[in-house]
Amino acid sequence: MLRLAVAALAVTPTPVLPVAPLPPGLVWVGQAPGGTGSTLHTATSQIRLRYSLNAIACTSAGTLTGLATELDGRRLPDAPHLVRFTTAGTVTDLGPAPGRQDLVTGYGAAIATAADGSTQLLISTGDRLRPLRLAPGPPAPLPAHALPDLPYAGDWATDPRTGELVTVVSMGNVARVVRLRWDAATGVGAVDTTPVPGLPPSSAYGAVAVLADGSIAAVFNRDAGPGAGAGTGRAPMGSALYRITGTEAEKLADLGPLTSSDAATCPVPASPAPSPPVVARALPTTAPPSPVPSLVPPPGTPPAAAPARPPVRSPSPSPEAPEPSPSKRPAYVPETVALAASEARHKVGSRYIPVVGGLMVAAVAVSRLVRRSRR
């Protein structure tokens, strides 16, 4: 049964690629001579891992998988281990790889989707291509396929446009891009080669990946060997990262010495579609409405005279009922005013009648006293 453990990372990045950013989607690992653990390179970071990784590949879902042989510079028991890791550097150790006895010499790897829909990690071991099913179900080895008679290939990649396996080797003292047609049922098919004169004529290309635009990224491994360096008279021979388009090669970066490397291409997140520009709508060129005159006069304007009301004609009096004279015509009192006046009189009367009555009694008493005094 596979063991599951998450390994911590050394968070001290050790730059090995000191120049321009990587092409989008390219992920690669490399190990310097005498170093412990691989350095993970992405388009945005370089992270020193505790594991020594090789034969890495990336699924269409962005999951990175590979083989690990060492942890903190010590060989893992029952190596190689199958590991999954992220571009942030988190490594999940899945334990000894299934069929590990046949994978101890595995270095190059590619991802392929078989006709049955399964995802397979194609690991090259010398003259054999050994598929390792990753999904569905637990990882499991599948029947191996013989490779054509080729020079040593340090890594393989899958071209997603054609399904072909791609590598870079030296043939006839010229570096060449080699393409193999592969099928899970029939195995490896015919070989196509394309010479690339601008590459170093060597088979030490430990990392190969097909980029999103169809070009090929390749890391050329070179190690100076013991005794090289400043003051020794032997200049360290460094590695290099190349981009291959057709028969042309462009050096993207000079690298330090490397003893091993491997590469993969992960899906590049699609950029969000730009928002359409906001176009101002033209307003109709109609004449503005006439201003409405204000009903409130400006400050300082004398008040206007109230408009004269038209005379109200009273109906003609009937001959039987003579019209009363103006002095005897009752004045019209609104009902609300009449009620208010009536209530006021009632209040005044109820309040002052006792006072008036008292005064009248007092006056009568005083009058009687005056009369008695006269007698």
Side-chain angles (χ1 to χ4, degrees):
M1 184 174 179
L2 294 180
R3 293 176 296 174
L4 180 63
V6 178
L9 303 176
V11 295
T12 305
T14 304
V16 179
L17 183 65
V19 290
L22 298 182
L26 177 61
V27 178
W28 71 281
V29 293
Q31 187 162 342
T36 60
S38 299
T39 298
L40 173 65
H41 301 265
T42 70
T44 58
S45 63
Q46 301 171 24
I47 304 172
R48 175 74 73 187
L49 306 178
R50 296 176 58 194
Y51 283 86
S52 297
L53 300 182
N54 220 320
I56 71 171
C58 190
T59 68
S60 58
T63 302
L64 285 155
T65 306
L67 299 179
T69 55
E70 294 181 352
L71 175 62
D72 295 330
R74 297 180 179 180
R75 187 166 182 83
L76 288 165
D78 300 326
H81 283 201
L82 183 66
V83 297
R84 291 193 181 118
F85 60 102
T86 68
T87 54
T90 301
V91 181
T92 303
D93 189 345
L94 303 178
R100 65 177 184 81
Q101 296 85 354
D102 297 325
L103 301 179
V104 291
T105 58
Y107 298 105
I111 283 287
T113 301
D116 60 0
S118 62
T119 300
Q120 301 180 11
L121 181 67
L122 308 178
I123 303 171
S124 61
T125 57
D127 62 349
R128 293 279 170 178
L129 195 65
R130 300 185 183 275
L132 185 64
R133 188 189 64 206
L134 299 179
L142 301 175
H145 303 284
L147 287 170
D149 186 14
L150 292 171
Y152 166 79
D155 193 17
W156 292 92
T158 304
D159 190 335
R161 302 169 304 168
T162 63
E164 296 172 338
L165 297 177
V166 181
T167 191
V168 180
V169 297
S170 178
M171 301 173 64
N173 204 32
V174 177
R176 297 173 183 267
V177 173
V178 177
R179 292 177 175 269
L180 305 182
R181 296 185 179 91
W182 176 85
D183 181 82
T186 61
V188 180
V191 178
D192 292 332
T193 63
T194 302
V196 186
L199 292 176
S202 171
S203 291
Y205 292 91
V208 177
V210 179
L211 304 176
D213 62 358
S215 61
I216 299 169
V219 175
F220 175 61
N221 294 349
R222 209 167 199 183
D223 180 11
T232 64
R234 294 180 55 197
M237 294 181 294
S239 305
L241 171 65
Y242 291 91
R243 188 171 195 162
I244 306 167
T245 305
T247 60
E248 302 295 327
E250 173 192 5
K251 182 187 287 188
L252 298 181
D254 286 311
L255 310 174
L258 293 172
T259 56
S260 68
S261 66
D262 210 277
T265 304
C266 285
V268 179
S271 301
S275 302
V278 178
V279 180
R281 298 179 60 185
L283 298 177
T285 56
T286 57
S290 301
V292 178
S294 175
L295 300 179
V296 180
T301 305
R309 295 183 179 180
V312 179
R313 293 184 178 180
S314 301
S316 302
S318 60
E320 291 81 7
E323 182 180 359
S325 60
S327 59
K328 296 181 179 181
R329 183 178 298 175
Y332 171 73
V333 180
E335 183 178 357
T336 55
V337 176
L339 290 175
S342 175
E343 292 178 1
R345 287 196 299 270
H346 175 71
K347 291 180 180 179
V348 171
S350 60
R351 181 179 301 177
Y352 292 105
I353 283 175
V355 178
V356 175
L359 291 176
M360 290 178 66
V361 172
V364 171
V366 172
S367 175
R368 288 179 181 179
L369 289 175
V370 171
R371 290 177 183 178
R372 287 178 184 178
S373 63
R374 287 179 179 180
R375 290 178 183 177

